[in-house]
Amino acid sequence: MTPMRPFLLCAAASALQLGIPALQNAERVRAPIMGAEDVLLERFGLPAEAPLIKRRQAMHIGLLAAAPLLSAIEPALAEDPMFTLPPLPYAYDALEPHIDAATMKFHHDFHHQAYINNLNKAMAGKAAASLDSLMPGAKAAKLNNAGGGHYNHCMFWTIMGPGAGGAPGGVLADKIKDAYGSFDDFKTAFATAAAGVFGSGWAWLAVKEDGSVTIVTTPNQDNPLMEGATEAGLIPIMGIDVWEHAYYLKYQNRRPEYITAFWNVINWSKVGEYYSAYASKGQPVPF
Amino acid sequence: QASSRRRHLLSTAMRPAGYMSMLRAVSFSSSSRQRRRLAHSVAPLPFEADSLQRLVSARSFRRQRAYQAKLVDKLNLILHDSEFQHRPLDEVVTSTASDPQLAECFNHASEIWNLELYWSRLTPGGIAPPSELLRWIERDFESYDRLVEQITAHARGIWGSGWTWLILDRRSLRLRVCNTFAGASSHPLALGLKPLLALDMWEHAYWYRYRGDREAYVRAYLDLVNWQAVSSELIATANKVDEHAKLKYVIRIAMDDMQSLQMSTVQHGTVDLNELPSLARLQLMDERRDDLSSTLVGAIREVSSELEALPSVRKTSTAALHSIAQELRGVKSR
């Protein structure tokens, strides 16, 4: 079935610029990320005039309408937040054409920021704690939504990268072969698991206590570190977000296509690093 | 290459968005001819793909219906050679809801059932709620706007994927708003409730047009609802409940009416506040009917305990009910 391409409007190519004046008017104190698009562009070394995305992948009308909505529905930030939004290690359009810039922008600036805000609200007045230390007791403390969301997305941004993909190397490759026979079989198993998550959730490559790897899925924003989420003793080193907001703009309901595209953006050297530096020693990846 | 791609783009963009193209979108897969022989299929809707622009564009509508067709194919696959193969869809939903082994079957069946209800309640332009439905809404939600607020509040509270429902509780004949969550294997049908409206709060329903603004999506959906159909469903269901529930309902309505009558007559200075209303004095019941009175006493006790559980009820209502129950017990013992 031929995928339907969006009807291109030349005006939409400059949607980002049209959106910028509206966002600049937002209070900077309340939304340093959302309101300061020009600052972000500067930081990533992108000129403000040129469109972030090519005309061919121009945004839909919905984004034009939604740009003022971003500032209207932004959640309130705490005074001295315990957790802050880490910047993306690459530009919003760095993962094109596999994951589109609009999705990355919304996913990072809106969703991840919302999880952080909710987590800060939940942790207000409590002693400062590192994010990975909050994970085991997250379900009991009702932090699995906001806290899990923050941890999961911190890992998600780091395990992806531009010009990545390929296959894992070193010890991790051996462990994958031991568990699944070959890298292709692993990819099939992972894709089946990720496509099989009903509703919102994540699919993970996790490391067991004996150093072998396994694939698990968790609902909503749970992750294998949380007690009660999956079998005990698992440490996640790679995950794919299969909440619909992660792929709906480009892939609509075609989740298997998104998973296929995901293979092109996985930074296996980073995942291998997580394996050797943390998971093989029984420690969760710290964020 | 580029020119052929442009030509293709033009042809897809210029394709007429009508009924036939919607049907074509639904039956795109190779198993479409088989689908007619199988248990479940996607029923065509009586409006065109592009007529619900405020809620969803024609393209989104076709995509979502295609997604539903995929779910149907998967469900037919799951149900093939199983005990539920020839059962109607709502029976599949209620039977598989409680069983964690049949979670996949329940997930697909419930999604299809919910989506059918979701789309079938829509009509281009919407139809305003008739006065009978407004009376029901006013009894349980004070006003239509408060109902919309309740639905919006529930919709905002959904974390992950789920559905927001307007249901009729058959036992108390009350309208209520509730949420169900994907992966929780719960469904109003399985709980014996009658769903009147289903709002899809999975992100795919609103992400394209409304992004994070769930409230605007909910309002857009409710504006396009055919409330006339909701009203007829409601009345038909209410008429089918058992006599006991109907009696309780009549008493509850009568008490509310008496309360408001009392308030309005007190304002006009024509009624003594100390004199509690009585069914016999209002000639709603014949003193000699013993058989009726025991059912009535039981029903009144239930209604009064229900009312007492509500925080907003005024104490005079329950006092009135107790006085009537007293009177009826007096009648019965005679």
Side-chain angles (χ1 to χ4, degrees):
Chain A
M1 174 177 156
T2 52
M4 294 201 204
R5 300 283 171 85
F7 191 79
L8 300 177
L9 289 178
C10 295
S14 55
L16 205 58
Q17 282 88 325
L18 285 178
I20 284 175
L23 290 173
Q24 274 176 349
N25 288 336
E27 298 171 76
R28 286 195 182 240
V29 174
R30 291 190 69 210
I33 298 295
M34 305 261 232
E37 276 201 48
D38 47 348
V39 174
L40 268 180
L41 288 170
E42 215 183 339
R43 211 203 277 193
F44 292 135
L46 289 164
E49 291 79 35
L52 263 193
I53 37 148
K54 299 193 189 82
R55 273 173 181 224
R56 191 158 270 283
Q57 288 120 15
M59 286 189 264
H60 306 285
I61 302 170
L63 186 56
L64 261 179
L69 282 178
L70 261 184
S71 45
I73 46 182
E74 65 194 54
L77 291 173
E79 285 307 313
D80 183 17
M82 199 182 300
F83 300 102
T84 50
L85 182 67
L88 271 181
Y90 34 81
Y92 290 116
D93 63 343
L95 303 180
E96 291 270 13
H98 310 294
I99 300 182
D100 54 318
T103 296
M104 290 300 287
K105 192 166 163 57
F106 265 96
H107 206 174
H108 180 258
D109 292 354
F110 181 73
H111 279 100
H112 196 178
Q113 182 73 69
Y115 297 137
I116 290 169
N117 294 342
N118 288 335
L119 182 60
N120 285 332
K121 258 192 278 189
M123 295 291 293
K126 297 200 188 141
S130 70
L131 186 54
D132 42 290
S133 67
L134 289 174
M135 287 298 104
K139 279 175 92 83
K142 303 257 200 279
L143 292 174
N144 54 327
N145 291 342
H150 183 25
Y151 186 92
N152 297 345
H153 287 87
C154 285
M155 179 174 280
F156 192 52
W157 309 133
T158 56
I159 54 133
M160 292 195 293
V171 186
L172 182 58
D174 295 332
K175 293 292 178 186
I176 287 175
K177 280 198 183 61
D178 290 340
Y180 294 99
S182 73
F183 182 55
D184 283 331
D185 290 338
F186 160 74
K187 285 211 290 191
T188 314
F190 190 83
T192 312
V197 176
F198 184 73
S200 311
W202 289 72
W204 303 96
L205 172 64
V207 182
K208 292 196 219 174
E209 280 159 345
D210 61 358
S212 62
V213 296
T214 183
I215 299 172
V216 286
T217 61
T218 51
N220 295 341
Q221 293 294 348
D222 293 355
N223 64 48
L225 293 174
M226 297 180 188
E227 272 161 38
T230 52
E231 56 176 281
L234 292 181
I235 294 175
I237 53 172
M238 187 270 279
I240 180 174
D241 188 354
V242 289
W243 281 61
E244 279 172 331
H245 63 237
Y247 60 90
Y248 196 72
L249 288 182
K250 188 174 165 80
Y251 297 99
Q252 289 83 50
N253 290 109
R254 305 187 299 274
R255 199 190 282 180
E257 267 185 50
Y258 161 65
I259 301 166
T260 310
F262 184 67
W263 297 119
N264 297 311
V265 298
I266 301 181
N267 185 353
W268 282 111
S269 57
K270 195 74 178 177
V271 181
E273 189 191 305
Y274 286 158
Y275 180 85
S276 34
Y278 302 107
S280 55
K281 298 177 187 156
Q283 292 163 18
V285 181
F287 286 111
Chain B
Q1 254 178 4
S3 62
S4 68
R5 222 176 305 164
R6 223 176 290 136
R7 238 180 291 132
H8 169 77
L9 280 170
L10 278 175
S11 63
T12 41
M14 306 270 281
R15 198 196 306 174
Y19 192 57
M20 290 312 295
S21 63
M22 178 178 75
L23 281 183
R24 222 180 298 135
V26 162
S27 54
F28 67 91
S29 76
S30 58
S31 64
S32 63
R33 252 175 262 122
Q34 290 170 33
R35 195 181 294 121
R36 264 177 250 130
R37 289 200 297 269
L38 294 175
H40 303 291
S41 57
V42 182
L45 289 171
F47 49 82
E48 297 202 341
D50 59 350
S51 45
L52 302 174
Q53 281 300 327
R54 271 193 57 219
L55 187 67
V56 67
S57 67
R59 196 176 299 129
S60 274
F61 176 76
R62 280 195 291 266
R63 280 181 185 144
Q64 293 199 37
R65 294 291 276 172
Y67 166 64
Q68 198 175 348
K70 254 198 297 200
L71 285 176
V72 167
D73 285 341
K74 186 75 201 279
L75 181 67
N76 283 329
L77 214 66
I78 295 170
L79 290 182
H80 187 67
D81 283 343
S82 81
E83 53 173 323
F84 298 112
Q85 191 177 4
H86 301 292
R87 304 267 192 89
L89 191 60
D90 45 356
E91 216 179 293
V92 177
V93 169
T94 50
S95 321
T96 55
S98 44
D99 195 343
Q101 303 274 333
L102 299 169
E104 207 197 347
C105 182
F106 171 76
N107 288 339
H108 286 88
S110 68
E111 273 303 293
I112 296 165
W113 195 93
N114 299 351
L115 284 166
E116 284 293 314
L117 182 61
Y118 175 80
W119 290 115
S120 63
R121 284 284 179 256
L122 290 174
T123 187
I127 294 180
S131 54
E132 177 64 43
L133 181 63
L134 279 175
R135 272 203 295 277
W136 276 82
I137 290 174
E138 272 155 29
R139 269 182 230 128
D140 294 313
F141 295 101
E142 286 170 41
S143 72
Y144 177 76
D145 291 327
R146 285 296 299 273
L147 169 66
V148 173
E149 268 178 45
Q150 276 272 304
I151 294 179
T152 314
H154 275 81
R156 263 202 298 268
I158 289 200
W159 170 260
S161 304
W163 289 76
T164 299
W165 301 87
L166 176 65
I167 51 155
L168 175 71
D169 185 346
R170 284 191 188 93
R171 279 166 307 160
S172 58
L173 284 178
R174 280 185 196 276
L175 289 173
R176 279 215 305 265
V177 182
C178 69
N179 286 342
T180 58
F181 297 91
S185 277
S186 65
H187 199 272
L189 281 183
L191 297 170
L193 305 165
K194 166 78 180 172
L196 295 169
L197 268 190
L199 250 113
D200 192 353
M201 295 312 298
W202 284 53
E203 283 164 328
H204 64 237
Y206 57 89
W207 200 247
Y208 235 76
R209 196 157 272 267
Y210 292 100
R211 299 302 151 88
D213 196 356
R214 289 186 193 184
E215 188 174 319
Y217 159 70
V218 169
R219 280 180 201 277
Y221 182 84
L222 292 176
D223 284 342
L224 287 170
V225 164
N226 180 358
W227 288 103
Q228 183 70 56
V230 174
S231 176
S232 3
E233 269 300 302
L234 170 65
I235 304 298
T237 312
N239 281 331
K240 281 194 219 134
V241 301
D242 65 343
E243 287 302 317
H244 193 76
K246 276 192 200 168
L247 202 53
K248 276 172 55 182
Y249 169 75
V250 166
I251 292 169
R252 178 162 62 91
I253 303 307
M255 294 320 301
D256 290 346
D257 291 345
M258 276 196 277
Q259 182 73 35
S260 43
L261 179 66
Q262 189 179 34
M263 294 298 287
S264 56
T265 48
V266 160
Q267 280 166 7
H268 287 93
T270 52
V271 157
D272 184 358
L273 256 181
N274 293 322
E275 186 182 308
L276 294 167
S278 153
L279 282 180
R281 254 172 287 155
L282 288 171
Q283 288 163 0
L284 285 175
M285 193 198 79
D286 192 344
E287 282 186 1
R288 292 183 293 271
R289 287 289 300 279
D290 283 351
D291 54 338
L292 179 61
S293 67
S294 61
T295 337
L296 212 48
V297 167
I300 288 173
R301 278 215 203 97
E302 279 187 52
V303 174
S304 69
S305 57
E306 264 178 44
L307 283 177
E308 262 162 3
L310 296 172
S312 61
V313 80
R314 285 166 284 208
K315 283 305 163 196
T316 42
S317 298
T318 50
L321 282 171
H322 286 309
S323 79
I324 289 173
Q326 281 290 108
E327 195 182 319
L328 285 171
R329 256 177 264 130
V331 165
K332 199 180 158 202
S333 62
R334 230 177 287 146

